[in-house]
Amino acid sequence: AKEGLDWLAKTVNGRNSLSGKTVKLAADLDMTGIDYVPAGNTIAGYSSRTFAGVFDGQGHTISNLSVASHTGQYSAAGLFGAITGTVKNVKLANVNISSDHYAGGVVGYISANTGASVQNCSVEGGSIKSTAHLMDDGSYDDGDKAGGIVGYITAVDYVDGCSVKNLTITAYRDLGAIVGCASSESGTETVKVTNCTVGDNVLVVVDNSHNYNNYTPNDNHNAGNFVGRKATSVDETG
């Protein structure tokens, strides 16, 4: 039920990561009319405010998911904002996801080389958008790292068996149909984005309307039809 999903998010955001626990989705969910606040909706305090368990959608569909995270550089939006665990076997239909920074259909942000993963998930229909936000001191901007499945991912963590279709991903920088940005952090490991499919009508759109101080020249927007920015080597085998 919707109440169960809300309980999961509030539990994690209350700093109980549910590590070692498995949460199963028992039925399809229609989230129409709900402004959902996902688990890990801000990366402030990562990884103490992330989902560290296993979420198993059991092949069910969550439709009409609407998520907005507008906390500047700490924003993370998706079915999950930030995880250090696993999300698998869930389908999303008609998403409306917006953020100032990290945005993904399934997960906005995965970091710290924790072995987190997104497996056998799909996103079909809707939009994912990261809108540029100027840092308080004016030193830089966000509006980056948006992906159809995951916004940002690091090595050891991985995406496998996922697909997108009929989806528009919009951001200022680092945006891709499956993953917005893949980074090893240490610069040596390989990020795995494997067995993934980009279907029909997937648009990856650069929004340059907030090009603060020209921080990002046109050739550095890193828009890709699979992984937008590869800050490390990426295994894209199918």
Side-chain angles (χ1 to χ4, degrees):
K2 302 171 187 176
E3 293 79 10
L5 197 60
D6 189 55
W7 169 86
L8 169 62
K10 288 180 177 177
T11 298
V12 171
N13 291 337
R15 298 187 185 277
N16 179 350
S17 71
L18 298 176
S19 179
K21 306 295 184 182
T22 296
V23 178
K24 295 183 178 181
L25 185 61
D28 293 348
L29 293 180
D30 185 346
M31 301 293 285
T32 298
I34 298 174
D35 294 324
Y36 183 61
V37 178
N41 67 309
T42 173
I43 64 166
Y46 186 90
S47 58
S48 64
R49 288 187 57 180
T50 64
F51 176 67
V54 175
F55 180 87
D56 186 351
Q58 299 193 114
H60 291 296
T61 298
I62 298 174
S63 57
N64 304 310
L65 178 72
S66 182
V67 176
S69 181
H70 297 297
T71 53
Q73 69 192 73
Y74 300 108
S75 299
L79 174 61
F80 288 82
I83 69 168
T84 50
T86 293
V87 181
K88 63 182 183 179
N89 307 326
V90 66
K91 301 175 182 178
L92 299 178
N94 189 32
V95 299
N96 181 9
I97 295 169
S98 63
S99 177
D100 293 331
H101 203 174
Y102 306 98
V106 182
V107 180
Y109 183 86
I110 303 174
S111 187
N113 307 100
T114 56
S117 65
V118 177
Q119 307 169 31
N120 303 317
C121 295
S122 66
V123 180
E124 182 172 346
S127 64
I128 298 167
K129 184 172 185 177
S130 178
T131 302
H133 161 269
L134 190 65
M135 300 289 192
D136 290 341
D137 63 359
S139 63
Y140 207 57
D141 50 24
D142 301 313
D144 57 332
K145 300 176 178 64
I149 299 295
V150 176
Y152 178 78
I153 191 168
T154 54
V156 182
D157 315 311
Y158 64 93
V159 176
D160 183 71
C162 294
S163 65
V164 292
K165 186 178 180 180
N166 300 328
L167 186 65
T168 300
I169 300 106
T170 305
Y172 173 43
R173 180 178 59 242
D174 299 353
L175 60 159
I178 299 294
V179 171
C181 179
S183 173
S184 72
E185 296 193 338
S186 69
T188 57
E189 303 94 346
T190 298
V191 176
K192 293 185 177 182
V193 183
T194 54
N195 303 303
C196 293
T197 304
V198 178
D200 295 335
N201 302 315
V202 176
L203 301 178
V204 179
V205 181
V206 172
D207 174 13
N208 200 29
S209 60
H210 300 279
N211 189 9
Y212 301 110
N213 297 334
N214 195 31
Y215 288 130
T216 302
N218 285 334
D219 57 351
N220 290 335
H221 285 290
N222 301 319
N225 58 8
F226 199 76
V227 177
R229 179 185 174 194
K230 302 173 186 178
T232 184
S233 58
V234 179
D235 176 358
E236 299 179 16
T237 57

